[in-house]
Amino acid sequence: MGRLIAQLLGFAGLIGLSTALSSALASPRLLLSHPTENPIAPNPEASLVGAASCSASGCHNANGASGTKGSEYSTWIGADPHAQAFAVLGTTRSKKMLANYKGLDLVQADPQRDPLCLSCHVHPDPEIKKKAYPDRFSVVDGVGCEACHGGAAQWVSTHYQASWKELSNPEKSKLGFVDTKDLGTRAETCVRCHVGEKGMDVNHDLLAAGHPRLRFELSAYQANYSGRHWRILDEKARQPDYEWTSWLVGQLATTEAALDLLSHRASHPDAPWPELSEYNCASCHHRIGGDFGQSPSAGKLRFGTWNDIRPNPQSLPLAFFGGILGDDERKGSESLKKLMEREPQNRDQIRPLAQMLSQKWTNRFEKTKSFAIPVPDFGQIREWILAQEKANQDGTCSPSWDKDTQSYLLLRASIQNVKNRDGKVSPALDKAVSDLGEELGQAFPKGKESIWTSPEKYQANSVRKRFKAIQEALP
Ligand code: HEC
Ligand code: HEC
Ligand code: HEC
Ligand code: HEC
């Protein structure tokens, strides 16, 4: 099972990047002087001062244990895959990918200079050249502190002073600071790169060229984040229903971003259309990665369900959002699914619908900040599993790895939440849930060194038994 899937399903030891790669990368960085000691020259256009500006030992580079307070820089550079995001663009794998994608010779392909790759592997700002202080900011840093915490030119020299604490959140945000403590704001930050947006698109052409498929789910990515430089215990103290809320806002942010991306994909006459990555991969591929010989299934194209509460009327997590969905959203979602599945796909009809729905979700998202959906209790979870299994049996819904994995992630987040609140859940329930996760992970062939793996060993019937076991283990 690849690292990318371990990330999602959260078992099987997480393997870091090779040490050779990390040290190859660390050295040019060590050569950088400590710009913290130099004053920042005034420049009204620039905001990015680079990760080295945070690296003074008295600030975020205490070099303590990974994840401890004051050691954010050392944790990031030593253990966070984001710090390697530029380095991976220098590998042959990345060069081949860009060459395939753009139809170039391998020698011509230079992902470390390609704006598309840099937008997600360094910083999403297309104006990065203007926005960065050239003597401080370096693309070599990969996804650095400012990609998540905001351009720091206007706050780096004050955010540790007492006066900073007196500023309101909007005042801080005006200076470029991103409030990553707010889960909604945080989720919106992650999905820019982990779902994509206009100009930052991992579309089917890029997937076919070898890019890993983007399958983001906030609660799992946070739980399994190797090299996380903050502590879950602090999160739980700030946010009593931390796991559930992470799942919830993660789904909302992902939905919003996915719809927005779809509307961009439908807007550009030069963009590939229909955009195949919007569909369930299994409607064409049985397995992916070197063996595309399998005949594409005769069945029809099915709209993808990874970003599940997106316009998928059969979506089960939608049950939890039911109460906050208006009629126009419900109907709009159904029409979108139909339009996407009806050939030829009419982009002029799809674009405004996706835009409208994305806007609606943006409004929802704003509202969740003051509108919390309560954590489901065991009774609701049982009903929800029963409804899912009934829909699978009567054919209203066909099971897939994507759907079952999303269901698993929802279960895991909500049961973990109960565990935090009540101290424990029964060992039988715990085991039933991890058995499901393990089975989903085992759908990926073992030991296959492939740039691309797909859940080709997924067995819908066997997974059904796992859901049944969970349902029976619920008190
Ligand atoms: C929409 C943002 C986006 C764009 C554009 C993008 N990437 Fe990525 N890339 C990601 C994310 C996010 C991951 C990590 C996926 C995960 O773990 O879920 C990733 C992973 C990778 C990996 C695997 C890294 C590993 O450690 O296994 C490679 C290689 C890669 N990208 C290369 C490229 C290249 C080359 C380009 C340009 C042709 C590119 N990417 C464009 C977001 C992007
Ligand atoms: C991938 C996004 C991301 C990157 C990159 C990142 N951070 Fe963070 N950081 C977060 C999130 C999310 C939190 C948790 C919420 C919070 O405390 O703001 C956090 C927390 C922090 C905290 C507060 C820790 C605490 O104990 O309360 C500090 C300080 C910090 N980061 C500094 C840095 C520095 C310095 C870098 C670069 C070396 C960096 N971060 C890179 C996302 C990121
Ligand atoms: C500027 C774009 C960007 C932003 C913002 C971003 N990421 Fe990433 N993330 C990436 C890329 C690119 C990779 C792949 C790095 C690699 O493997 O080389 C990645 C990798 C990861 C991984 C490791 C995946 C794996 O398979 O090991 C986790 C976990 C992760 N990101 C979580 C987050 C979270 C949580 C946030 C928001 C707080 C976030 N990221 C924000 C671009 C981004
Ligand atoms: C409508 C059918 C269709 C759908 C849906 C589809 N693909 Fe493809 N895919 C193709 C075809 C046809 C090719 C070969 C031509 C090409 O490279 O574009 C291909 C090629 C590929 C390749 C390279 C060849 C290989 O097997 O290694 C990858 C990787 C890939 N697709 C991944 C995906 C992923 C991931 C999804 C879902 C997000 C997906 N595809 C959805 C039709 C589809």
Side-chain angles (χ1 to χ4, degrees):
M1 186 172 58
R3 180 168 65 90
L4 301 184
I5 291 303
Q7 195 53 246
L8 198 59
L9 297 174
F11 54 96
L14 293 174
I15 313 143
L17 282 163
S18 78
T19 19
L21 184 57
S22 319
S23 49
L25 198 96
S27 37
R29 263 195 271 228
L30 293 177
L31 299 176
L32 288 173
S33 64
H34 264 271
T36 357
E37 288 143 26
N38 316 325
I40 299 170
N43 175 349
E45 289 203 333
S47 57
L48 301 171
V49 292
S53 306
C54 319
S55 69
S57 55
C59 301
H60 300 297
N61 198 11
N63 235 331
S66 187
T68 52
K69 222 177 172 78
S71 295
E72 293 82 12
Y73 181 90
S74 17
T75 303
W76 169 80
I77 203 160
D80 188 336
H82 290 114
Q84 311 296 340
F86 178 78
V88 297
L89 297 180
T91 58
T92 310
R93 174 183 171 191
S94 286
K95 287 182 191 160
K96 279 191 186 151
M97 197 189 294
L98 185 64
N100 286 341
Y101 179 64
K102 290 201 163 163
L104 303 170
D105 287 338
L106 197 56
V107 287
Q108 291 172 303
D110 188 357
Q112 291 186 324
R113 285 175 199 273
D114 186 84
L116 174 67
C117 311
L118 293 174
S119 65
C120 295
H121 284 255
V122 176
H123 196 282
D125 200 323
E127 300 277 300
I128 189 166
K129 276 225 168 90
K130 257 201 247 161
K131 295 275 175 70
Y133 281 85
D135 54 331
R136 296 173 157 259
F137 184 88
S138 168
V139 289
V140 169
D141 285 334
V143 178
C145 324
E146 292 168 294
C148 294
H149 293 290
Q154 290 195 62
W155 53 266
V156 69
S157 55
T158 52
H159 71 290
Y160 46 82
Q161 292 169 356
S163 57
W164 177 256
K165 287 220 161 80
E166 278 154 30
L167 297 182
S168 66
N169 282 342
E171 281 167 333
K172 290 180 185 170
S173 133
K174 244 178 131 181
L175 298 173
F177 183 83
V178 173
D179 179 16
T180 39
K181 285 195 169 54
D182 178 82
L183 287 173
T185 308
R186 182 188 309 176
E188 281 178 326
T189 307
C190 315
V191 297
R192 293 191 70 184
C193 304
H194 281 272
V195 175
E197 60 181 37
K198 184 184 176 191
M200 294 160 59
D201 190 353
V202 176
N203 63 12
H204 184 267
D205 285 353
L206 193 48
L207 294 176
H211 198 280
R213 186 178 164 205
L214 301 184
R215 288 191 196 96
F216 186 66
E217 194 282 305
L218 183 63
S219 71
Y221 267 58
Q222 290 185 152
N224 305 324
Y225 191 149
S226 59
R228 179 176 3 86
H229 54 273
W230 64 96
R231 291 149 309 280
I232 300 286
L233 277 177
D234 294 352
E235 300 256 49
K236 288 179 183 163
R238 278 195 290 266
Q239 175 72 52
D241 289 321
Y242 163 73
E243 263 90 7
W244 172 249
T245 311
S246 294
W247 179 85
L248 188 71
V249 297
Q251 293 288 325
L252 289 172
T254 303
T255 302
E256 182 192 336
L259 284 165
D260 213 31
L261 185 59
L262 172 57
S263 78
H264 287 299
R265 287 168 166 175
S267 300
H268 292 281
D270 299 337
W273 189 260
E275 173 44 56
L276 303 188
S277 65
E278 292 282 351
Y279 296 91
N280 187 325
C281 317
S283 44
C284 299
H285 298 275
H286 287 284
R287 55 153 72 159
I288 297 171
D291 192 12
F292 186 63
Q294 296 264 356
S295 58
S297 65
K300 65 196 231 25
L301 265 184
R302 280 178 289 131
F303 198 23
T305 56
W306 183 260
N307 302 315
D308 199 27
I309 57 165
R310 190 167 73 161
N312 188 348
Q314 288 151 5
S315 140
L316 285 154
L318 199 65
F320 291 114
F321 294 90
I324 61 165
L325 277 187
D327 246 13
D328 45 350
E329 278 158 304
R330 218 179 266 283
K331 289 201 186 106
S333 296
E334 282 179 36
S335 318
L336 184 60
K337 181 170 151 63
K338 281 201 192 108
L339 285 172
M340 286 295 288
E341 292 180 350
R342 184 191 304 146
E343 296 171 52
Q345 291 80 355
N346 185 328
R347 43 164 82 176
D348 293 332
Q349 285 178 318
I350 287 168
R351 185 186 338 105
L353 198 49
Q355 258 159 7
M356 183 280 278
L357 288 167
S358 169
Q359 192 51 50
K360 293 265 178 196
W361 282 108
T362 308
N363 298 343
R364 286 287 161 242
F365 196 68
E366 289 304 314
K367 275 191 199 142
T368 49
K369 290 176 186 164
S370 56
F371 178 107
I373 298 182
V375 190
D377 59 31
F378 285 140
Q380 283 171 300
I381 294 177
R382 180 182 296 102
E383 267 174 45
W384 174 68
I385 297 178
L386 287 170
Q388 165 179 285
E389 294 313 309
K390 186 170 170 290
N392 281 332
Q393 264 165 20
D394 67 20
T396 18
C397 187
S398 47
S400 68
W401 186 90
D402 280 17
K403 276 190 201 166
D404 284 340
T405 301
Q406 283 285 25
S407 298
Y408 159 74
L409 294 171
L410 186 159
L411 284 173
R412 199 174 80 160
S414 48
I415 290 172
Q416 184 61 39
N417 209 98
V418 174
K419 219 168 164 178
N420 296 338
R421 201 183 48 201
D422 303 351
K424 64 173 176 46
V425 296
S426 75
L429 180 56
D430 234 358
K431 181 173 181 308
V433 175
S434 46
D435 285 351
L436 171 62
E438 203 146 328
E439 165 131 11
L440 291 164
Q442 281 163 1
F444 291 81
K446 270 204 196 70
K448 195 167 148 190
E449 255 321 304
S450 159
I451 52 160
W452 239 103
T453 49
S454 59
E456 61 192 61
K457 294 190 341 196
Y458 165 77
Q459 296 276 352
N461 286 340
S462 158
V463 172
R464 307 274 63 78
K465 291 187 194 131
R466 304 281 180 200
F467 277 105
K468 187 144 195 280
I470 296 176
Q471 176 210 315
E472 286 168 355
L474 283 164

